Amino acid sequence: MQKLHSARRAAALALALAALALALAALALALAPPARAEEGAVQTSRFELPGFDVPCRAAILIDQATGTVLYEKEPDMPVPIASITKVMTLLLTFEALEEGRVSLSDTVPVSEHAYDMGGSQIWLEPGEQFTLDEMLKAICVSSANDAAVAVAELIGGSEPVFVEMMNQKAQELGMSATHFENACGLDRAGHVSSARDVAVMSREMLQNHSAITQYTTIWMDSLRGGQTQLINTNKLLRRYAGITGLKTGTTSGAGVCISASATRDGLSLIAVVLGSPSSEDRFAAATTLLDYGFANFEAGAPALPDTAPQTLPVRRGAAEEVGLGYQLPGQLLLKKGEGASLTVEVQLPEVLEAPVGAGQPVGSVRVLAGETVLGEYPVCAAGEVPRMDFALSLRWLLKALLVL
């Protein structure tokens, strides 16, 4: 028994001495400054904008996934936007739906104020009741002003309060050229936006609330048991392959407008046309922009090579390795034909020097099309690895002694 106790004391002493040696070594290492990882670069646009013109006051073409601008004409000029205003009305409505504040089966009451709306409408009567689902059809298909105001009153309590919500959302999205005065888009002094801002809110709608396309792609429907026919004001639904929406608008002040969205082979584009002289000019301009986008660009999805490390060793740390988090984009905008030569290169050090912070950039990933670097993205530490200093070693020593 005495020999057993002696062996245990010897083992404890050896462990203590080893821990003490580690602590002293760590103390010396703690005086050395830690190595720093380089920060990764962000991708910038590499496309030249074309010089052709389209028949309208202002226009813009963007890639929906990345927001990259592919064409622009007076993109920041504040102008009336007519019923394209309803994109913001729909955006706030879908936010309310997804937050559970309303449901598609909710009844939308019709007020005298909604009844008094002019322009395009479904001739709502005060006290008449429709579900929110039916009202959304009326807004998206027939661009009904009375339905838009009734929905605004449901979401905001009143149209003025809802308009405040619209302007707040526009500010959140960085729509600096935009100010709303109503929920439907009828001409009012100070009710303006820009082609760029319309693209921003259209992209927000399509990227984060894609269920909107279940309404914007309806060509014909009906309400009141078939008594009221709905026919989509976006004629591109019948003319353009891949069209998904989004909203048309026409007033005397705004001219003829459209925010047109379409998807082909995984590439989604948004073409905004404001202030065309006629409906045919509007659709021709949107078609020209979309055709240009689909003819010259494609979507690519870069993938990590199978050999990409999932961890890296850490020197002089409290742990021997740390996990890695790759920040590779889900989709890239490419020039037509570049997808076939798309490759991904991982650049990492052989070992990291502690301490390592969670989220700290430790390397990079380069995406290339042939020899052209399309973008460089950071590889970050997925966890924290403290530096092995004297205090940490001492805590380990005490813990080891308490176990005995």
Side-chain angles (χ1 to χ4, degrees):
M1 181 66 69
Q2 187 175 0
K3 289 182 179 180
L4 179 60
H5 285 305
S6 298
R8 285 180 175 175
R9 282 196 297 271
L13 180 59
L15 181 62
L17 290 173
L20 180 59
L22 180 60
L24 292 173
L27 179 60
L29 290 171
L31 299 176
R36 298 181 62 184
E38 295 183 1
E39 295 184 1
V42 296
Q43 184 182 20
T44 57
S45 179
R46 59 194 177 91
F47 307 115
E48 293 184 8
L49 302 186
F52 63 79
D53 194 18
V54 286
C56 60
R57 249 165 148 186
I60 198 167
L61 174 69
I62 69 166
D63 169 45
Q64 181 182 311
T66 65
T68 303
V69 175
L70 305 177
Y71 174 88
E72 60 183 27
K73 173 184 178 179
E74 300 291 348
D76 299 308
M77 179 172 59
V79 293
I81 60 170
S83 283
I84 295 182
T85 296
K86 296 184 178 81
V87 172
M88 182 60 81
T89 302
L90 292 165
L91 176 57
L92 293 178
T93 301
F94 271 78
E95 287 185 349
L97 280 166
E98 293 179 9
E99 292 168 6
R101 292 186 279 124
V102 294
S103 71
L104 290 174
S105 60
D106 284 351
T107 298
V108 182
V110 179
S111 67
E112 290 282 350
H113 177 59
Y115 164 75
D116 285 335
M117 288 300 108
S120 57
Q121 55 186 306
I122 55 169
W123 303 282
L124 293 174
E125 293 290 336
E128 193 174 15
Q129 295 185 340
F130 287 91
T131 65
L132 180 55
D133 177 65
E134 292 173 316
M135 288 291 198
L136 289 174
K137 288 180 183 178
I139 296 169
C140 294
V141 179
S142 292
S143 194
N145 293 330
D146 46 4
V149 171
V151 169
E153 291 174 334
L154 173 71
I155 304 299
S158 69
E159 188 183 19
V161 172
F162 187 81
V163 170
E164 290 180 11
M165 295 167 61
M166 295 170 72
N167 286 315
Q168 181 179 352
K169 187 66 179 181
Q171 189 174 19
E172 291 174 6
L173 294 175
M175 298 166 58
S176 58
T178 298
H179 179 77
F180 296 111
E181 288 288 337
N182 57 55
C184 62
L186 289 173
D187 289 335
R188 295 286 186 275
H191 187 99
V192 295
S193 187
S194 68
R196 192 185 309 278
D197 284 1
V198 169
V200 167
M201 70 175 177
S202 298
R203 179 175 181 243
E204 177 74 11
M205 182 84 248
L206 291 162
Q207 285 289 94
N208 297 314
H209 311 281
S210 58
I212 187 66
T213 60
Q214 297 175 16
Y215 296 93
T216 57
T217 55
I218 296 172
W219 174 243
M220 295 182 65
D221 209 322
S222 64
L223 298 173
R224 298 186 177 99
Q227 296 181 18
T228 301
Q229 297 296 313
L230 306 177
I231 301 177
N232 206 306
T233 55
N234 184 3
K235 306 310 177 189
L236 292 181
L237 285 176
R238 305 283 282 186
R239 303 179 186 176
Y240 200 84
I243 201 77
T244 58
L246 181 64
K247 191 70 197 74
T248 61
T250 304
T251 63
S252 58
V256 189
C257 311
I258 188 171
S259 177
S261 57
T263 299
R264 292 182 185 175
D265 298 322
L267 177 63
S268 295
L269 302 175
I270 299 171
V272 177
V273 175
L274 303 179
S276 281
S278 70
S279 183
E280 283 305 309
D281 285 328
R282 161 183 63 186
F283 294 132
T287 297
T288 297
L289 294 178
L290 293 172
D291 280 349
Y292 166 76
F294 288 125
N296 290 278
F297 302 96
E298 62 180 275
L304 282 173
D306 295 337
T307 56
Q310 298 304 308
T311 62
L312 271 182
V314 179
R315 185 166 50 208
R316 302 182 183 98
E320 293 182 353
E321 62 181 18
V322 66
L324 300 177
Y326 290 89
Q327 300 184 18
L328 202 62
Q331 184 170 311
L332 286 176
L333 180 65
L334 307 174
K335 293 178 182 177
K336 184 72 80 172
E338 284 183 336
S341 61
L342 200 64
T343 58
V344 175
E345 292 181 354
V346 178
Q347 299 177 322
L348 293 168
E350 293 183 359
V351 63
L352 297 174
E353 189 84 16
V356 179
Q360 173 185 324
V362 296
S364 64
V365 174
R366 293 203 310 168
V367 180
L368 302 94
E371 300 297 322
T372 303
V373 178
L374 304 182
E376 192 166 347
Y377 308 90
V379 181
C380 297
E384 181 181 6
V385 180
R387 189 173 177 83
M388 180 59 73
D389 57 15
F390 181 78
L392 181 58
S393 297
L394 189 59
R395 285 199 300 271
W396 283 13
L397 170 61
L398 294 175
K399 183 180 295 186
L401 290 174
L402 290 173
V403 170
L404 298 175

